[in-house]
């Protein structure tokens, strides 16, 4: 039988433990076990990052139809995303630059991808502040394809000129 971490071995411990100090503390309720880097296969990581890149490309081309193909049909932000893009595309030309993208985790049909992008106004008659934003996108499978389901901005930095 293999001894698992945290399983007491027979006999007395040779290193004294202070009472009340757990040796191998279990993770807190609802928490994750510490320091196990999740292995994400390269093909899945590429599929996920390609969705983010396709979305930004479509936005840079002001192509609403193409942009909406990257959004999950059950996304709670589907309509508001469509409305926001329609408004922006009609009034502004923006330059989108994907500065970094990292797949954080994949669990079944759901994935989290962290992206940092900068957005700069090229032309247009609507107010817009150039910025850099770091976002965690949640993607879900729609059949065989990954699509953007929801997004949470972690930070936003406005450029000073």
């Amino acid at each position: 039988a293999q001894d698992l971490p945290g399983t007491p071995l027979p006999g007395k411990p040779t290193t004294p433990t202070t009472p009340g100090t757990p040796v191998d503390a279990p993770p807190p309720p609802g928490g994750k076990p510490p320091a196990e880097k999740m292995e994400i296969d390269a093909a899945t990581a590429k599929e996920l990052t390609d969705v983010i890149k396709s979305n930004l490309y479509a936005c840079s081309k002001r192509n609403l139809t193409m942009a909406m193909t990257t959004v999950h049909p059950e996304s709670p932000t589907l309509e508001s995303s469509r409305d926001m893009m329609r408004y922006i595309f009609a009034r502004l030309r923006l330059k989108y630059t994907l500065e970094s993208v990292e797949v954080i985790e994949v669990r079944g049909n759901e994935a989290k991808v962290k992206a940092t992008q900068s957005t700069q106004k090229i032309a247009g008659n609507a107010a817009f502040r150039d910025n850099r934003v770091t976002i965690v996108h949640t993607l879900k499978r729609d059949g065989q394809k990954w699509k953007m389901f929801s997004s949470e901005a972690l930070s936003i930095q406005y450029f000073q000129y």
Side-chain angles (χ1 to χ4, degrees):
Q2 181 184 358
D3 286 316
L4 299 172
T7 304
L9 297 170
K12 291 186 185 269
T14 55
T15 53
T17 55
T18 312
T21 311
V23 177
D24 276 325
K32 296 176 186 158
E36 269 189 50
K37 183 74 175 130
M38 187 176 292
E39 282 298 315
I40 297 160
D41 72 276
T44 301
K46 183 179 182 328
E47 286 175 31
L48 291 163
T49 56
D50 283 352
V51 174
I52 308 300
K53 290 175 182 176
S54 295
N55 178 269
L56 280 186
Y57 176 79
C59 289
S60 70
K61 295 296 181 190
R62 296 190 290 178
N63 186 326
L64 183 63
T65 304
M66 186 192 304
M68 293 310 295
T69 65
T70 65
V71 180
H72 197 285
E74 293 170 13
S75 168
T77 62
L78 182 76
E79 292 303 320
S80 61
S81 295
R82 181 183 289 125
D83 292 346
M84 183 188 69
M85 284 188 266
R86 199 175 273 141
Y87 177 88
I88 289 172
F89 296 169
R91 290 163 182 81
L92 294 166
R93 279 195 49 227
L94 300 176
K95 177 184 176 193
Y96 300 87
T97 306
L98 185 62
E99 296 179 1
S100 67
V101 62
E102 174 195 3
V103 177
I104 300 171
E105 70 175 26
V106 178
R107 291 183 188 274
N109 289 330
E110 187 170 309
K112 294 203 180 295
V113 178
K114 182 178 175 182
T116 299
Q117 71 185 56
S118 61
T119 310
Q120 294 168 285
K121 180 178 172 178
I122 297 170
N125 59 3
F128 183 83
R129 292 173 69 194
D130 295 352
N131 65 79
R132 172 178 294 115
V133 64
T134 299
I135 306 171
V136 173
H137 297 289
T138 299
L139 291 88
K140 291 188 176 184
R141 281 200 183 275
D142 178 32
Q144 293 301 306
K145 292 189 183 220
W146 288 100
K147 297 200 176 171
M148 297 169 78
F149 187 78
S150 62
S151 302
E152 178 188 359
L154 299 182
S155 68
I156 187 163
Q157 167 193 359
Y158 294 100
F159 297 144
Q160 305 297 321
Y161 294 107

